[in-house]
Amino acid sequence: QVQLVESGGGLVQSGGSLRLSCAGSGRSFTLLPMGWFRRTPGNKRELVAIKFGLDQNKNDILYADSVKGRFTISRDYAKDTVVLQMNNLKPGDTAVYYCAAAAPDANWANPDANWANVAYWGPGTQVTVSS
């Protein structure tokens, strides 16, 4: 059974930091793009950050414009884990954060449709940022 399991969400004040971790099991994720999406209280689904598979340019990372300079994604390809370090958190970052793995040939050109690229989802972890 393929699974993605997140940990590390919680409540933090504006300007604080949180670290989200995700561990994959049931298959190898080495060749798949792997990263994070979020669903906001307004029910908007958006890509937060994703890092491509080992056979792609493993330095390639996509970030949402709203998190650039504040969030950092990293992967351990040998352990099938992905981490999202979130600094300088803002109330607008409040959302349920989902670990995700996508098809290796996914098209990331349309931000409104990136969620459709995801092949595997974690159950989600709540991040709440108070002002």
Side-chain angles (χ1 to χ4, degrees), residues 63-106:
Y63 286 107
D65 287 343
S66 60
V67 307
K68 285 180 181 177
R70 301 187 297 123
F71 292 11
T72 302
I73 187 171
S74 59
R75 287 183 69 170
D76 186 326
Y77 290 94
K79 296 181 179 179
D80 284 330
T81 58
V82 61
V83 171
L84 185 69
Q85 177 66 42
M86 305 185 293
N87 297 328
N88 190 20
L89 282 158
K90 304 176 181 181
D93 295 316
T94 294
V96 178
Y97 283 71
Y98 297 91
C99 182
D105 59 348

mmCIF file of all heavy atoms in Angstrom, residues 63-106:
data_model
loop_
_atom_site.group_PDB
_atom_site.id
_atom_site.type_symbol
_atom_site.label_atom_id
_atom_site.label_comp_id
_atom_site.label_asym_id
_atom_site.label_seq_id
_atom_site.Cartn_x
_atom_site.Cartn_y
_atom_site.Cartn_z
ATOM 1 N N TYR A 63 8.463 26.864 -6.511
ATOM 2 C CA TYR A 63 7.858 27.457 -5.323
ATOM 3 C C TYR A 63 6.706 28.356 -5.747
ATOM 4 O O TYR A 63 6.783 29.026 -6.787
ATOM 5 C CB TYR A 63 8.854 28.332 -4.559
ATOM 6 C CG TYR A 63 9.920 27.611 -3.783
ATOM 7 C CD1 TYR A 63 11.232 27.593 -4.234
ATOM 8 C CD2 TYR A 63 9.629 26.972 -2.579
ATOM 9 C CE1 TYR A 63 12.230 26.954 -3.517
ATOM 10 C CE2 TYR A 63 10.621 26.327 -1.845
ATOM 11 C CZ TYR A 63 11.913 26.318 -2.331
ATOM 12 O OH TYR A 63 12.902 25.677 -1.602
ATOM 13 N N ALA A 64 5.672 28.405 -4.932
ATOM 14 C CA ALA A 64 4.663 29.436 -5.113
ATOM 15 C C ALA A 64 5.304 30.792 -4.871
ATOM 16 O O ALA A 64 6.154 30.937 -3.978
ATOM 17 C CB ALA A 64 3.513 29.222 -4.135
ATOM 18 N N ASP A 65 4.902 31.808 -5.650
ATOM 19 C CA ASP A 65 5.486 33.137 -5.478
ATOM 20 C C ASP A 65 5.303 33.638 -4.046
ATOM 21 O O ASP A 65 6.166 34.332 -3.514
ATOM 22 C CB ASP A 65 4.832 34.113 -6.456
ATOM 23 C CG ASP A 65 5.284 33.897 -7.887
ATOM 24 O OD1 ASP A 65 6.323 33.234 -8.098
ATOM 25 O OD2 ASP A 65 4.593 34.383 -8.806
ATOM 26 N N SER A 66 4.207 33.276 -3.426
ATOM 27 C CA SER A 66 3.885 33.789 -2.091
ATOM 28 C C SER A 66 4.809 33.249 -0.997
ATOM 29 O O SER A 66 4.837 33.798 0.106
ATOM 30 C CB SER A 66 2.439 33.457 -1.738
ATOM 31 O OG SER A 66 2.227 32.046 -1.750
ATOM 32 N N VAL A 67 5.556 32.172 -1.294
ATOM 33 C CA VAL A 67 6.414 31.590 -0.254
ATOM 34 C C VAL A 67 7.900 31.711 -0.572
ATOM 35 O O VAL A 67 8.743 31.336 0.259
ATOM 36 C CB VAL A 67 6.061 30.102 -0.002
ATOM 37 C CG1 VAL A 67 4.567 29.943 0.276
ATOM 38 C CG2 VAL A 67 6.496 29.206 -1.156
ATOM 39 N N LYS A 68 8.226 32.218 -1.744
ATOM 40 C CA LYS A 68 9.634 32.343 -2.119
ATOM 41 C C LYS A 68 10.378 33.210 -1.115
ATOM 42 O O LYS A 68 9.896 34.266 -0.700
ATOM 43 C CB LYS A 68 9.756 32.945 -3.522
ATOM 44 C CG LYS A 68 9.409 31.980 -4.632
ATOM 45 C CD LYS A 68 9.540 32.645 -6.002
ATOM 46 C CE LYS A 68 9.174 31.685 -7.125
ATOM 47 N NZ LYS A 68 9.221 32.346 -8.447
ATOM 48 N N GLY A 69 11.558 32.745 -0.718
ATOM 49 C CA GLY A 69 12.355 33.472 0.247
ATOM 50 C C GLY A 69 12.011 33.163 1.687
ATOM 51 O O GLY A 69 12.747 33.551 2.604
ATOM 52 N N ARG A 70 10.892 32.452 1.914
ATOM 53 C CA ARG A 70 10.475 32.120 3.278
ATOM 54 C C ARG A 70 10.465 30.608 3.518
ATOM 55 O O ARG A 70 10.743 30.151 4.621
ATOM 56 C CB ARG A 70 9.087 32.679 3.563
ATOM 57 C CG ARG A 70 8.988 34.198 3.417
ATOM 58 C CD ARG A 70 7.631 34.713 3.889
ATOM 59 N NE ARG A 70 6.532 34.201 3.086
ATOM 60 C CZ ARG A 70 5.500 33.519 3.578
ATOM 61 N NH1 ARG A 70 5.441 33.248 4.873
ATOM 62 N NH2 ARG A 70 4.523 33.096 2.784
ATOM 63 N N PHE A 71 10.088 29.846 2.499
ATOM 64 C CA PHE A 71 9.991 28.394 2.619
ATOM 65 C C PHE A 71 11.131 27.733 1.851
ATOM 66 O O PHE A 71 11.544 28.218 0.801
ATOM 67 C CB PHE A 71 8.674 27.882 2.047
ATOM 68 C CG PHE A 71 7.434 28.267 2.816
ATOM 69 C CD1 PHE A 71 7.453 29.219 3.829
ATOM 70 C CD2 PHE A 71 6.215 27.674 2.499
ATOM 71 C CE1 PHE A 71 6.315 29.567 4.522
ATOM 72 C CE2 PHE A 71 5.058 28.006 3.181
ATOM 73 C CZ PHE A 71 5.112 28.959 4.199
ATOM 74 N N THR A 72 11.593 26.600 2.380
ATOM 75 C CA THR A 72 12.638 25.831 1.715
ATOM 76 C C THR A 72 12.257 24.358 1.720
ATOM 77 O O THR A 72 11.920 23.803 2.764
ATOM 78 C CB THR A 72 13.986 25.999 2.429
ATOM 79 O OG1 THR A 72 14.342 27.383 2.467
ATOM 80 C CG2 THR A 72 15.077 25.221 1.687
ATOM 81 N N ILE A 73 12.312 23.750 0.538
ATOM 82 C CA ILE A 73 12.006 22.329 0.415
ATOM 83 C C ILE A 73 13.305 21.554 0.246
ATOM 84 O O ILE A 73 14.241 22.013 -0.413
ATOM 85 C CB ILE A 73 11.051 22.061 -0.771
ATOM 86 C CG1 ILE A 73 10.592 20.595 -0.780
ATOM 87 C CG2 ILE A 73 11.682 22.453 -2.090
ATOM 88 C CD1 ILE A 73 9.483 20.318 -1.794
ATOM 89 N N SER A 74 13.345 20.380 0.859
ATOM 90 C CA SER A 74 14.493 19.509 0.692
ATOM 91 C C SER A 74 14.006 18.055 0.645
ATOM 92 O O SER A 74 12.939 17.739 1.167
ATOM 93 C CB SER A 74 15.496 19.705 1.831
ATOM 94 O OG SER A 74 14.895 19.439 3.080
ATOM 95 N N ARG A 75 14.807 17.217 0.006
ATOM 96 C CA ARG A 75 14.463 15.795 -0.120
ATOM 97 C C ARG A 75 15.650 14.929 0.244
ATOM 98 O O ARG A 75 16.797 15.286 -0.009
ATOM 99 C CB ARG A 75 14.046 15.464 -1.562
ATOM 100 C CG ARG A 75 12.720 15.961 -1.977
ATOM 101 C CD ARG A 75 12.370 15.528 -3.384
ATOM 102 N NE ARG A 75 12.119 14.097 -3.489
ATOM 103 C CZ ARG A 75 11.615 13.518 -4.571
ATOM 104 N NH1 ARG A 75 11.326 14.266 -5.631
ATOM 105 N NH2 ARG A 75 11.423 12.219 -4.613
ATOM 106 N N ASP A 76 15.329 13.763 0.786
ATOM 107 C CA ASP A 76 16.291 12.688 0.930
ATOM 108 C C ASP A 76 15.801 11.571 0.011
ATOM 109 O O ASP A 76 14.860 10.861 0.328
ATOM 110 C CB ASP A 76 16.371 12.214 2.381
ATOM 111 C CG ASP A 76 17.467 11.185 2.605
ATOM 112 O OD1 ASP A 76 17.713 10.377 1.675
ATOM 113 O OD2 ASP A 76 18.064 11.180 3.686
ATOM 114 N N TYR A 77 16.450 11.452 -1.152
ATOM 115 C CA TYR A 77 15.978 10.492 -2.148
ATOM 116 C C TYR A 77 16.143 9.053 -1.670
ATOM 117 O O TYR A 77 15.367 8.178 -2.043
ATOM 118 C CB TYR A 77 16.731 10.694 -3.460
ATOM 119 C CG TYR A 77 16.369 11.976 -4.170
ATOM 120 C CD1 TYR A 77 17.125 13.130 -3.990
ATOM 121 C CD2 TYR A 77 15.269 12.049 -5.004
ATOM 122 C CE1 TYR A 77 16.789 14.319 -4.631
ATOM 123 C CE2 TYR A 77 14.924 13.223 -5.652
ATOM 124 C CZ TYR A 77 15.691 14.355 -5.461
ATOM 125 O OH TYR A 77 15.350 15.523 -6.087
ATOM 126 N N ALA A 78 17.138 8.784 -0.878
ATOM 127 C CA ALA A 78 17.367 7.424 -0.392
ATOM 128 C C ALA A 78 16.292 6.992 0.599
ATOM 129 O O ALA A 78 15.958 5.807 0.689
ATOM 130 C CB ALA A 78 18.739 7.324 0.248
ATOM 131 N N LYS A 79 15.741 7.949 1.345
ATOM 132 C CA LYS A 79 14.759 7.621 2.382
ATOM 133 C C LYS A 79 13.329 7.926 1.965
ATOM 134 O O LYS A 79 12.401 7.686 2.741
ATOM 135 C CB LYS A 79 15.095 8.384 3.663
ATOM 136 C CG LYS A 79 16.436 8.000 4.286
ATOM 137 C CD LYS A 79 16.691 8.784 5.572
ATOM 138 C CE LYS A 79 18.008 8.379 6.201
ATOM 139 N NZ LYS A 79 18.285 9.157 7.447
ATOM 140 N N ASP A 80 13.145 8.473 0.752
ATOM 141 C CA ASP A 80 11.801 8.842 0.281
ATOM 142 C C ASP A 80 11.120 9.801 1.265
ATOM 143 O O ASP A 80 9.952 9.616 1.628
ATOM 144 C CB ASP A 80 10.929 7.606 0.059
ATOM 145 C CG ASP A 80 11.301 6.863 -1.220
ATOM 146 O OD1 ASP A 80 11.764 7.513 -2.176
ATOM 147 O OD2 ASP A 80 11.140 5.634 -1.254
ATOM 148 N N THR A 81 11.858 10.797 1.691
ATOM 149 C CA THR A 81 11.295 11.818 2.574
ATOM 150 C C THR A 81 11.443 13.204 1.947
ATOM 151 O O THR A 81 12.341 13.438 1.132
ATOM 152 C CB THR A 81 11.989 11.819 3.946
ATOM 153 O OG1 THR A 81 13.390 12.039 3.763
ATOM 154 C CG2 THR A 81 11.784 10.497 4.670
ATOM 155 N N VAL A 82 10.543 14.082 2.342
ATOM 156 C CA VAL A 82 10.601 15.462 1.892
ATOM 157 C C VAL A 82 10.255 16.354 3.078
ATOM 158 O O VAL A 82 9.386 16.025 3.889
ATOM 159 C CB VAL A 82 9.666 15.703 0.687
ATOM 160 C CG1 VAL A 82 8.220 15.423 1.039
ATOM 161 C CG2 VAL A 82 9.832 17.112 0.138
ATOM 162 N N VAL A 83 10.970 17.457 3.192
ATOM 163 C CA VAL A 83 10.810 18.377 4.316
ATOM 164 C C VAL A 83 10.522 19.775 3.788
ATOM 165 O O VAL A 83 11.107 20.196 2.781
ATOM 166 C CB VAL A 83 12.082 18.395 5.192
ATOM 167 C CG1 VAL A 83 12.022 19.501 6.221
ATOM 168 C CG2 VAL A 83 12.272 17.039 5.872
ATOM 169 N N LEU A 84 9.618 20.470 4.445
ATOM 170 C CA LEU A 84 9.326 21.864 4.129
ATOM 171 C C LEU A 84 9.631 22.707 5.359
ATOM 172 O O LEU A 84 8.944 22.593 6.379
ATOM 173 C CB LEU A 84 7.872 22.031 3.716
ATOM 174 C CG LEU A 84 7.481 23.436 3.235
ATOM 175 C CD1 LEU A 84 8.152 23.749 1.893
ATOM 176 C CD2 LEU A 84 5.968 23.573 3.095
ATOM 177 N N GLN A 85 10.657 23.517 5.272
ATOM 178 C CA GLN A 85 10.998 24.451 6.342
ATOM 179 C C GLN A 85 10.291 25.770 6.049
ATOM 180 O O GLN A 85 10.526 26.374 5.000
ATOM 181 C CB GLN A 85 12.507 24.660 6.424
ATOM 182 C CG GLN A 85 12.934 25.669 7.472
ATOM 183 C CD GLN A 85 12.623 25.208 8.893
ATOM 184 O OE1 GLN A 85 12.825 24.038 9.232
ATOM 185 N NE2 GLN A 85 12.127 26.110 9.718
ATOM 186 N N MET A 86 9.438 26.197 6.973
ATOM 187 C CA MET A 86 8.645 27.397 6.774
ATOM 188 C C MET A 86 9.059 28.437 7.802
ATOM 189 O O MET A 86 8.888 28.230 9.013
ATOM 190 C CB MET A 86 7.153 27.071 6.924
ATOM 191 C CG MET A 86 6.681 25.948 6.005
ATOM 192 S SD MET A 86 4.906 25.670 6.083
ATOM 193 C CE MET A 86 4.723 25.048 7.746
ATOM 194 N N ASN A 87 9.589 29.541 7.316
ATOM 195 C CA ASN A 87 10.032 30.633 8.176
ATOM 196 C C ASN A 87 9.202 31.882 7.909
ATOM 197 O O ASN A 87 8.571 32.012 6.850
ATOM 198 C CB ASN A 87 11.507 30.933 7.925
ATOM 199 C CG ASN A 87 12.413 29.773 8.275
ATOM 200 O OD1 ASN A 87 12.139 28.994 9.186
ATOM 201 N ND2 ASN A 87 13.510 29.656 7.543
ATOM 202 N N ASN A 88 9.235 32.788 8.848
ATOM 203 C CA ASN A 88 8.504 34.049 8.720
ATOM 204 C C ASN A 88 7.057 33.796 8.294
ATOM 205 O O ASN A 88 6.555 34.410 7.343
ATOM 206 C CB ASN A 88 9.200 34.979 7.720
ATOM 207 C CG ASN A 88 8.641 36.382 7.733
ATOM 208 O OD1 ASN A 88 8.006 36.807 8.700
ATOM 209 N ND2 ASN A 88 8.859 37.114 6.653
ATOM 210 N N LEU A 89 6.402 32.914 8.995
ATOM 211 C CA LEU A 89 5.038 32.543 8.644
ATOM 212 C C LEU A 89 4.083 33.713 8.822
ATOM 213 O O LEU A 89 4.251 34.556 9.719
ATOM 214 C CB LEU A 89 4.576 31.351 9.478
ATOM 215 C CG LEU A 89 5.123 30.013 9.001
ATOM 216 C CD1 LEU A 89 5.100 28.977 10.115
ATOM 217 C CD2 LEU A 89 4.337 29.516 7.801
ATOM 218 N N LYS A 90 3.078 33.750 7.950
ATOM 219 C CA LYS A 90 2.075 34.809 7.944
ATOM 220 C C LYS A 90 0.689 34.194 8.106
ATOM 221 O O LYS A 90 0.496 33.022 7.767
ATOM 222 C CB LYS A 90 2.152 35.580 6.635
ATOM 223 C CG LYS A 90 3.515 36.159 6.321
ATOM 224 C CD LYS A 90 3.537 36.824 4.953
ATOM 225 C CE LYS A 90 4.914 37.395 4.633
ATOM 226 N NZ LYS A 90 4.938 38.059 3.310
ATOM 227 N N PRO A 91 -0.274 34.984 8.582
ATOM 228 C CA PRO A 91 -1.639 34.441 8.701
ATOM 229 C C PRO A 91 -2.163 33.873 7.388
ATOM 230 O O PRO A 91 -2.925 32.905 7.390
ATOM 231 C CB PRO A 91 -2.448 35.659 9.175
ATOM 232 C CG PRO A 91 -1.458 36.461 9.947
ATOM 233 C CD PRO A 91 -0.153 36.310 9.201
ATOM 234 N N GLY A 92 -1.737 34.430 6.274
ATOM 235 C CA GLY A 92 -2.159 33.932 4.969
ATOM 236 C C GLY A 92 -1.625 32.549 4.635
ATOM 237 O O GLY A 92 -2.069 31.937 3.657
ATOM 238 N N ASP A 93 -0.688 32.056 5.437
ATOM 239 C CA ASP A 93 -0.167 30.696 5.236
ATOM 240 C C ASP A 93 -1.034 29.644 5.934
ATOM 241 O O ASP A 93 -0.782 28.445 5.790
ATOM 242 C CB ASP A 93 1.264 30.587 5.774
ATOM 243 C CG ASP A 93 2.240 31.454 5.019
ATOM 244 O OD1 ASP A 93 2.179 31.472 3.777
ATOM 245 O OD2 ASP A 93 3.066 32.129 5.674
ATOM 246 N N THR A 94 -2.025 30.093 6.694
ATOM 247 C CA THR A 94 -2.920 29.150 7.365
ATOM 248 C C THR A 94 -3.624 28.277 6.342
ATOM 249 O O THR A 94 -4.260 28.779 5.409
ATOM 250 C CB THR A 94 -3.954 29.912 8.204
ATOM 251 O OG1 THR A 94 -3.268 30.589 9.266
ATOM 252 C CG2 THR A 94 -4.990 28.966 8.785
ATOM 253 N N ALA A 95 -3.490 26.966 6.506
ATOM 254 C CA ALA A 95 -4.048 26.026 5.545
ATOM 255 C C ALA A 95 -3.819 24.603 6.042
ATOM 256 O O ALA A 95 -3.074 24.382 7.003
ATOM 257 C CB ALA A 95 -3.377 26.184 4.174
ATOM 258 N N VAL A 96 -4.440 23.668 5.365
ATOM 259 C CA VAL A 96 -4.070 22.261 5.534
ATOM 260 C C VAL A 96 -2.997 21.973 4.489
ATOM 261 O O VAL A 96 -3.209 22.230 3.291
ATOM 262 C CB VAL A 96 -5.269 21.316 5.344
ATOM 263 C CG1 VAL A 96 -4.815 19.858 5.489
ATOM 264 C CG2 VAL A 96 -6.369 21.637 6.344
ATOM 265 N N TYR A 97 -1.879 21.451 4.933
ATOM 266 C CA TYR A 97 -0.750 21.181 4.044
ATOM 267 C C TYR A 97 -0.710 19.687 3.743
ATOM 268 O O TYR A 97 -0.774 18.843 4.653
ATOM 269 C CB TYR A 97 0.557 21.629 4.699
ATOM 270 C CG TYR A 97 0.742 23.121 4.654
ATOM 271 C CD1 TYR A 97 -0.042 23.969 5.431
ATOM 272 C CD2 TYR A 97 1.677 23.711 3.804
ATOM 273 C CE1 TYR A 97 0.089 25.337 5.370
ATOM 274 C CE2 TYR A 97 1.834 25.093 3.747
ATOM 275 C CZ TYR A 97 1.033 25.893 4.533
ATOM 276 O OH TYR A 97 1.176 27.257 4.463
ATOM 277 N N TYR A 98 -0.584 19.378 2.456
ATOM 278 C CA TYR A 98 -0.589 18.001 1.992
ATOM 279 C C TYR A 98 0.736 17.652 1.344
ATOM 280 O O TYR A 98 1.200 18.379 0.446
ATOM 281 C CB TYR A 98 -1.698 17.787 0.958
ATOM 282 C CG TYR A 98 -3.094 17.994 1.488
ATOM 283 C CD1 TYR A 98 -3.698 19.243 1.421
ATOM 284 C CD2 TYR A 98 -3.811 16.937 2.049
ATOM 285 C CE1 TYR A 98 -4.981 19.449 1.910
ATOM 286 C CE2 TYR A 98 -5.104 17.134 2.538
ATOM 287 C CZ TYR A 98 -5.672 18.388 2.460
ATOM 288 O OH TYR A 98 -6.944 18.577 2.933
ATOM 289 N N CYS A 99 1.306 16.554 1.757
ATOM 290 C CA CYS A 99 2.432 15.994 1.042
ATOM 291 C C CYS A 99 1.909 15.346 -0.229
ATOM 292 O O CYS A 99 0.817 14.738 -0.231
ATOM 293 C CB CYS A 99 3.125 14.957 1.925
ATOM 294 S SG CYS A 99 4.584 14.202 1.190
ATOM 295 N N ALA A 100 2.667 15.463 -1.312
ATOM 296 C CA ALA A 100 2.187 14.959 -2.592
ATOM 297 C C ALA A 100 3.342 14.438 -3.429
ATOM 298 O O ALA A 100 4.466 14.940 -3.332
ATOM 299 C CB ALA A 100 1.464 16.075 -3.343
ATOM 300 N N ALA A 101 3.030 13.459 -4.251
ATOM 301 C CA ALA A 101 3.983 12.955 -5.239
ATOM 302 C C ALA A 101 3.259 12.881 -6.579
ATOM 303 O O ALA A 101 2.107 12.445 -6.646
ATOM 304 C CB ALA A 101 4.523 11.594 -4.840
ATOM 305 N N ALA A 102 3.954 13.301 -7.622
ATOM 306 C CA ALA A 102 3.309 13.438 -8.922
ATOM 307 C C ALA A 102 3.943 12.524 -9.959
ATOM 308 O O ALA A 102 4.984 11.921 -9.741
ATOM 309 C CB ALA A 102 3.411 14.886 -9.377
ATOM 310 N N ALA A 103 3.294 12.443 -11.092
ATOM 311 C CA ALA A 103 3.848 11.687 -12.210
ATOM 312 C C ALA A 103 5.112 12.371 -12.714
ATOM 313 O O ALA A 103 5.187 13.602 -12.727
ATOM 314 C CB ALA A 103 2.812 11.603 -13.328
ATOM 315 N N PRO A 104 6.091 11.598 -13.165
ATOM 316 C CA PRO A 104 7.368 12.208 -13.590
ATOM 317 C C PRO A 104 7.241 13.081 -14.824
ATOM 318 O O PRO A 104 8.068 13.970 -15.026
ATOM 319 C CB PRO A 104 8.269 10.995 -13.851
ATOM 320 C CG PRO A 104 7.360 9.843 -14.014
ATOM 321 C CD PRO A 104 6.161 10.126 -13.190
ATOM 322 N N ASP A 105 6.212 12.867 -15.656
ATOM 323 C CA ASP A 105 6.050 13.655 -16.870
ATOM 324 C C ASP A 105 4.982 14.727 -16.721
ATOM 325 O O ASP A 105 4.452 15.240 -17.708
ATOM 326 C CB ASP A 105 5.702 12.742 -18.045
ATOM 327 C CG ASP A 105 4.427 11.946 -17.800
ATOM 328 O OD1 ASP A 105 3.943 11.937 -16.641
ATOM 329 O OD2 ASP A 105 3.906 11.343 -18.748
ATOM 330 N N ALA A 106 4.655 15.083 -15.484
ATOM 331 C CA ALA A 106 3.602 16.079 -15.252
ATOM 332 C C ALA A 106 3.982 17.440 -15.846
ATOM 333 O O ALA A 106 5.150 17.815 -15.883
ATOM 334 C CB ALA A 106 3.344 16.205 -13.758
#
